[in-house]
Amino acid sequence: MRTQFAGTSLRRKLIGWSSRQRLFGWLLVAYLFALPLTVMAAPLANRLAHHPSPYLALHGADPVAWQEWNPATVALARQQNKLLFVSIGYFSCHWCHVMQQESYSDPRIAEVLNHDFIPVKVDRELNAALDAEMIEFARRSRGVAGWPLNVFITPEGYPLYATLYSKPDQFLGLITKLSERWQTGSQELKAAARKTAGSGKPVAAAPVKPSPDIAATWRKRLVEETLAMADSLRGGLDQARKFPIAPQLTSLLQIQEHHPDERLAAWLKLTLDRMMKGGLHDHVGGGFFRYTVDPDWHTPHYEKMLYDNAQLALLYLRAARILGKPQYREISFETLDFMLAEMRDAETGAFIASTSAVDGEGREGGVYLWSREQLRLMLSPDQFALASRVWGLEAAAESDLGYLPQQMREPTAVELTQLETVYRKLREVRRQRHLPKDDKLLAGLNGLALKALSEAAAEDPRYRRPADEVKNFLARQLWQKDGLRQGMGKGKLFGSAELEGYAYAATGLRYYARLSRKAADHALADKLAREAWRRFHSARGFRLAGTTLLASENWQASIVDGAIPSPSAELITASLASGDKTLRRKGSEALGFTIPSIGRGLFMQASLVATMDVTAR
């Protein structure tokens, strides 16, 4: 706009000039008008339409000119000296969809993002390392984290500011103010971002040789720490929301097997019982939801993740033996059957990433909820009376869409048998409801599934063929000459796998090799483990990816557990279980480096504690 005014003013002054002066003047006008074309880049275009990631493809029609997270995008931000607006989410995230509908479809917001920022959409399951570092930045700088996670990153690659879901007007105000602040003080903001960045320092402490005494100390501390946080009445942790905490439960169950503790056994049984009887468990179709929004395990967040169900299937299978409760074995097989029925890709035999929290009409829980009227039409009077007693239909429904079937009252053995007929009727109707799915096939998550299937196949041969197919998918399609791929979407391979992809795939292949008893399967597991050590470990510790494109590298002696086990602990465990001396040595040395770095928070290092316990025995 300023250039246009300058050109118009000059044009008026040309009147009365000599021909030579006019020629010079017109050249100057041409220069002024051409200057913005050389300095300003062409308008950005949305690059996500038809992306093989269903989550990214969902944003392909947004007016926001979404870019992918890659070196070219970061280079563009540096060239234009603009902040990167990096929005991280995943397909089954309900609030990610809400923010898309409210904010990323708003032309006012799109105009600011497109003009003043480089907007980037990230599928957290394809960029797990970037997501982990941004989650940590949000926790460190804001005290909270979650998805959608929106982070403003400087062109040099330093995170500056993080925010979660916000209403459109609030979000518009934020990006407008931040844009104005950047225009007047970008150097100051860059300096602030550099100052708060992680140091990326190498692991300094000398390793300590693992010993039975250290293992015993860690084990006791973990148990006491867990029991201090435990909800002794409702199971799980004493928190407002209840998560399945599968890595911790798996590690504590292993400790209970070899070092029995009556208090721990009671809490484990209470937690597993409440999870399988309450709303976290889908009593109609099988499988487990991500978490419940209440402390009583009643109201779930309705997405189902492959990583939860693969871990819980294995957890319940082991718990049946260790805790002496055969019904846990039934839940384990039911969960595997759900995965095979609802999460299996027909062409490859591998498993998809998740199913959505919303139905095809965008209603949260729409696939799983039932009104009284619907149930009366579907069920006989006796069946409706039974459902009403067990599911608590006499109370008001917590959702406008109706009730979620769960055991609000303990049914008798006869009632459980009768309920199977009710569940069968509901399943028939539910097949007609549309459930969106994230059909990415990820290496790491299929490694977790292969681990569960391989152990289950040792007890029930019907899981052997699915295990074979997942192993073949990893070995023949995702394992390439240049290394393991992150996964596959719409028949296309994604980029290089990160640490968790290698670690979980190597562990899954190790479990499969025990089942197949083939040297070639053991060799492939070793090959993946060796490649993981080469790519993601050094004297500085572990890193989650070859590069995150951020300015500072984040090396860690040990990576904590999250919803999935610590990938560093998984790699150490897989290597210690190998017949290869070099891998065992690498695993033992890395375990030794973790010992001086571990503080009081052993609950978030439960997988590592379990590894230490196995090593010491």
Side-chain angles (χ1 to χ4, degrees):
M1 186 68 74
R2 286 190 296 271
T3 303
Q4 182 179 2
F5 291 156
T8 302
S9 176
L10 181 59
R11 182 176 181 180
R12 290 169 182 164
K13 292 181 180 180
L14 291 178
I15 300 173
W17 285 11
S18 67
S19 60
R20 186 173 181 179
Q21 288 174 320
R22 283 196 297 271
L23 176 61
F24 173 78
W26 283 118
L27 289 172
L28 182 57
V29 171
Y31 172 77
L32 288 170
F33 274 102
L35 182 61
L37 298 179
T38 61
V39 175
M40 296 176 60
L44 294 176
N46 189 319
R47 296 180 177 273
L48 301 186
H50 312 298
H51 196 282
S53 160
Y55 175 67
L56 297 183
L58 280 173
H59 289 269
D62 292 352
V64 177
W66 295 116
Q67 308 298 294
E68 294 186 66
W69 181 254
N70 56 36
T73 299
V74 176
L76 182 64
R78 292 174 181 169
Q79 177 188 342
Q80 298 187 19
N81 192 36
K82 289 183 176 180
L83 284 171
L84 291 141
F85 171 71
V86 180
S87 179
I88 304 174
Y90 57 104
F91 181 85
S92 57
C93 167
H94 172 66
W95 289 104
C96 297
H97 292 292
V98 173
M99 195 160 186
Q100 177 192 22
Q101 295 161 5
E102 292 181 346
S103 293
Y104 301 140
S105 299
D106 188 327
R108 302 172 303 159
I109 290 172
E111 182 180 5
V112 177
L113 289 176
N114 296 344
H115 186 271
D116 297 342
F117 302 88
I118 303 296
V120 182
K121 240 320 162 184
V122 171
D123 182 335
R124 64 176 292 261
E125 294 172 336
L126 293 182
N127 294 91
L130 174 67
D131 173 63
E133 294 204 28
M134 294 302 94
I135 284 287
E136 177 57 29
F137 171 74
R139 285 181 179 142
R140 191 171 67 245
S141 62
R142 301 292 305 276
V144 294
W147 301 276
L149 175 61
N150 304 300
V151 185
F152 298 87
I153 301 176
T154 68
E156 293 75 25
Y158 294 102
L160 174 66
Y161 183 80
T163 182
L164 306 181
Y165 166 80
S166 55
K167 291 287 188 180
D169 288 343
Q170 180 185 1
F171 182 62
L172 179 60
L174 169 65
I175 60 177
T176 301
K177 289 178 181 178
L178 191 53
S179 172
E180 293 170 352
R181 184 71 181 86
W182 182 259
Q183 297 304 320
T184 59
S186 63
Q187 293 305 315
E188 181 182 347
L189 293 179
K190 288 179 181 180
R194 283 194 298 270
K195 186 176 181 180
T196 59
S199 64
K201 292 181 180 179
V203 176
V208 176
K209 185 177 181 180
S211 70
D213 288 343
I214 295 173
T217 299
W218 278 18
R219 188 174 64 243
K220 292 174 183 176
R221 280 174 48 193
L222 173 60
V223 172
E224 294 304 325
E225 187 178 319
T226 300
L227 293 177
M229 298 187 295
D231 185 335
S232 58
L233 297 177
R234 296 169 292 198
L237 300 183
D238 190 10
Q239 296 176 338
R241 295 182 175 187
K242 289 296 176 74
F243 290 83
I245 52 172
Q248 286 82 4
L249 290 176
T250 299
S251 300
L252 289 162
L253 183 67
Q254 176 183 307
I255 289 172
Q256 176 63 27
E257 179 179 17
H258 298 283
H259 312 279
D261 183 313
E262 291 183 3
R263 301 169 303 157
L264 179 59
W267 177 76
L268 286 170
K269 290 177 183 178
L270 173 64
T271 300
L272 293 172
D273 285 349
R274 291 301 297 268
M275 288 198 305
M276 75 177 189
K277 294 177 181 179
L280 189 76
H281 175 219
D282 180 0
H283 294 258
V284 176
F288 290 87
F289 300 109
R290 174 80 273 269
Y291 65 94
T292 63
V293 300
D294 66 296
D296 293 305
W297 303 98
H298 289 165
T299 306
H301 212 262
Y302 290 93
E303 68 263 42
K304 292 183 182 178
M305 317 302 293
L306 175 58
Y307 58 75
D308 282 324
N309 284 281
Q311 290 181 91
L312 291 174
L314 185 55
L315 173 65
Y316 275 95
L317 182 63
R318 292 175 175 176
R321 171 178 53 82
I322 296 170
L323 300 178
K325 298 195 70 170
Q327 60 267 47
Y328 290 166
R329 187 174 184 267
E330 297 173 12
I331 293 296
S332 170
F333 290 166
E334 180 202 86
T335 303
L336 291 172
D337 292 342
F338 152 74
M339 289 166 51
L340 292 169
E342 299 291 338
M343 304 191 81
R344 193 185 194 189
D345 177 64
E347 185 174 343
T348 63
F351 292 93
I352 66 172
S354 64
T355 63
S356 179
V358 300
D359 65 6
E361 299 178 33
R363 302 176 304 173
E364 185 179 8
V367 169
Y368 306 103
L369 296 171
W370 308 87
S371 68
R372 276 199 190 90
E373 292 72 21
Q374 290 173 319
L375 293 172
R376 286 188 185 278
L377 288 172
M378 295 165 50
L379 306 177
S380 70
D382 288 345
Q383 289 172 338
F384 180 82
L386 170 63
S388 184
R389 289 196 305 274
V390 176
W391 301 345
L393 302 187
E394 67 281 353
E398 295 187 10
S399 169
D400 293 340
L401 298 178
Y403 297 84
L404 177 70
Q406 58 184 291
Q407 292 182 18
M408 303 297 285
R409 184 185 69 78
E410 188 76 27
T412 65
V414 172
E415 288 175 331
L416 276 175
T417 302
Q418 294 171 339
L419 279 171
E420 283 304 315
T421 303
V422 174
Y423 292 143
R424 189 160 47 248
K425 287 186 176 182
L426 268 60
R427 278 195 294 271
E428 289 297 323
V429 175
R430 208 164 83 175
R431 290 191 182 101
Q432 302 170 24
R433 298 177 174 181
H434 176 54
L435 177 61
K437 299 179 179 181
D438 184 341
D439 58 6
K440 295 191 309 292
L441 309 173
L442 298 174
L445 302 191
N446 273 278
L448 294 176
L450 181 58
K451 183 178 178 180
L453 286 168
S454 298
E455 195 157 313
E459 296 193 23
D460 191 325
R462 65 195 173 101
Y463 297 113
R464 175 60 190 266
R465 182 175 177 181
D468 292 342
E469 292 181 350
V470 176
K471 176 262 178 180
N472 290 336
F473 172 72
L474 292 171
R476 299 175 184 176
Q477 299 198 52
L478 296 192
W479 179 246
Q480 300 285 313
K481 291 181 179 179
D482 58 347
L484 184 68
R485 296 301 180 89
Q486 187 82 334
M488 177 185 290
K490 296 181 173 59
K492 299 178 181 178
L493 291 173
F494 294 118
S496 297
E498 298 178 338
L499 172 59
E500 69 174 38
Y502 274 92
Y504 302 150
T507 300
L509 289 166
R510 178 80 60 211
Y511 274 73
Y512 179 82
R514 294 173 186 169
L515 178 70
S516 70
R517 299 181 181 180
K518 293 182 179 178
D521 295 328
H522 283 286
L524 181 58
D526 286 347
K527 189 178 293 186
L528 262 68
R530 281 193 293 270
E531 190 66 13
W533 286 108
R534 185 182 73 82
R535 290 174 181 247
F536 308 110
H537 186 262
S538 74
R540 303 173 72 184
F542 290 95
R543 60 180 179 178
L544 288 167
T547 178
T548 59
L549 302 178
L550 297 173
S552 58
E553 290 187 301
N554 185 16
W555 294 89
Q556 305 170 63
S558 176
I559 298 164
V560 299
D561 291 317
I564 46 183
S566 159
S568 60
E570 284 284 292
L571 180 59
I572 290 172
T573 304
S575 299
L576 290 172
S578 171
D580 184 280
K581 292 182 180 179
T582 301
L583 283 176
R584 291 202 306 272
R585 176 180 55 80
K586 282 185 173 291
S588 181
E589 289 177 352
L591 185 60
F593 272 110
T594 68
I595 294 173
S597 69
I598 298 299
R600 292 297 304 170
L602 283 178
F603 186 80
M604 299 306 295
Q605 297 277 5
S607 295
L608 188 66
V609 176
T611 299
M612 176 71 77
D613 187 52
V614 170
T615 305
R617 287 202 300 271

